[in-house]
Amino acid sequence: MLETLLVTGIHREELDFGDRVAALIDRNHVHVMRIPEGISHARTGSGGLFYYNTRHREIYLQLRQQVTGHYRLLIDLHCGLNDTGRCADLYCRDEQILQCISGCTGQLAMGGQLRLVKILTDSENGDLVKEVKKVDVGARTSIPEQMWNDQSFVYVGLEIYLAKVGDGVAADWRFARDLIDFVRDCAIDRMVPALEGKRYERRGNDLG
């Protein structure tokens, strides 16, 4: 079973940013899946929300079929806007991975704040997240639970916020690349017992 898959272009407006980040990824350790015809942020027409939600669910369930049995870690890369500067939200169900990542963020050479978000089931009380060390907030998501709560692989959603519309600048791409490296390292540590003793080479944090 392979280790890590990075997915870009779930929202097609974010594809250029994903391409820039993917160009910095070491393909020996991370496979990249580029979705050239993803869903659009635009929800036009009277049935816009219904068709958006339907397509959104379909694309994730199709992606899950391609991940299950092939990868241990899925990183779902997105980008948004924040006019106050570079930052990111990282979404995951696994508390141990979130706590591990919280210990890495001081090494982010490109700056930018990181918020760690535990994904909640519909029945969970969001106030309980306050008891989880190093996790900033809990949140629910429209992504199907079969994707982010699957026991055969770890799902991590990564949203990088840019200062303006576009595909970002070099510091944004390196910021995302750093976070992907940290996620991968923490997930490998978490998944070691499940990998049947197989060892993976871990790459350094080279910003060159």
Side-chain angles (χ1 to χ4, degrees):
M1 184 179 290
L2 301 174
E3 180 204 314
T4 304
L5 177 67
L6 174 69
V7 175
T8 69
I10 291 284
H11 294 107
R12 58 177 176 263
E13 295 91 344
E14 303 168 4
L15 189 59
D16 289 344
F17 171 76
D19 288 343
R20 296 287 194 172
V21 176
L24 302 178
I25 297 298
D26 184 344
R27 301 299 182 92
N28 292 318
H29 301 298
V30 180
H31 287 196
V32 177
M33 178 184 292
R34 184 180 189 272
I35 302 177
E37 297 183 359
I39 54 179
S40 174
H41 286 300
R43 309 174 194 183
T44 58
S46 58
L49 181 59
F50 171 80
Y51 289 113
Y52 175 88
N53 289 339
T54 299
R55 178 58 179 148
H56 185 266
R57 179 177 179 80
E58 286 178 348
I59 201 168
Y60 273 107
L61 292 180
Q62 291 170 6
L63 176 59
R64 178 175 177 264
Q65 291 178 350
Q66 298 184 61
V67 173
T68 304
H70 299 284
Y71 296 95
R72 292 288 187 183
L73 171 64
L74 169 65
I75 302 176
D76 182 16
L77 181 64
H78 296 268
C79 66
L81 292 176
N82 177 36
D83 56 11
T84 63
R86 186 181 308 111
C87 61
D89 287 340
L90 189 149
Y91 298 84
C92 187
R93 174 70 180 167
D94 192 298
E95 294 176 3
Q96 289 182 259
I97 290 178
L98 290 168
Q99 292 176 26
C100 175
I101 292 169
S102 73
C104 300
T105 55
Q107 304 172 46
L108 285 170
M110 295 299 111
Q113 297 297 312
L114 175 65
R115 184 174 67 160
L116 299 176
V117 184
K118 180 184 177 182
I119 303 175
L120 303 176
T121 64
D122 289 340
S123 61
E124 284 182 307
N125 184 344
D127 291 337
L128 296 179
V129 175
K130 297 176 183 177
E131 301 176 6
V132 181
K133 294 180 181 179
K134 306 298 184 181
V135 175
D136 297 310
V137 66
R140 294 176 177 83
T141 175
S142 59
I143 296 172
E145 185 171 347
Q146 298 100 307
M147 171 62 77
W148 52 263
N149 206 16
D150 193 299
Q151 299 305 305
S152 67
F153 64 88
V154 174
Y155 171 87
V156 174
L158 187 57
E159 179 107 17
I160 309 296
Y161 294 95
L162 311 177
K164 60 182 181 179
V165 175
D167 58 359
V169 297
D172 298 325
W173 312 327
R174 292 175 180 172
F175 177 64
R177 192 273 307 274
D178 277 2
L179 285 172
I180 290 167
D181 283 349
F182 294 149
V183 169
R184 179 177 168 271
D185 284 351
C186 287
I188 290 173
D189 289 342
R190 178 73 173 89
M191 295 183 294
V192 162
L195 292 174
E196 301 176 342
K198 182 174 182 180
R199 295 186 177 183
Y200 291 91
E201 178 185 354
R202 294 167 65 177
R203 62 168 298 210
N205 182 31
D206 176 16
L207 293 179

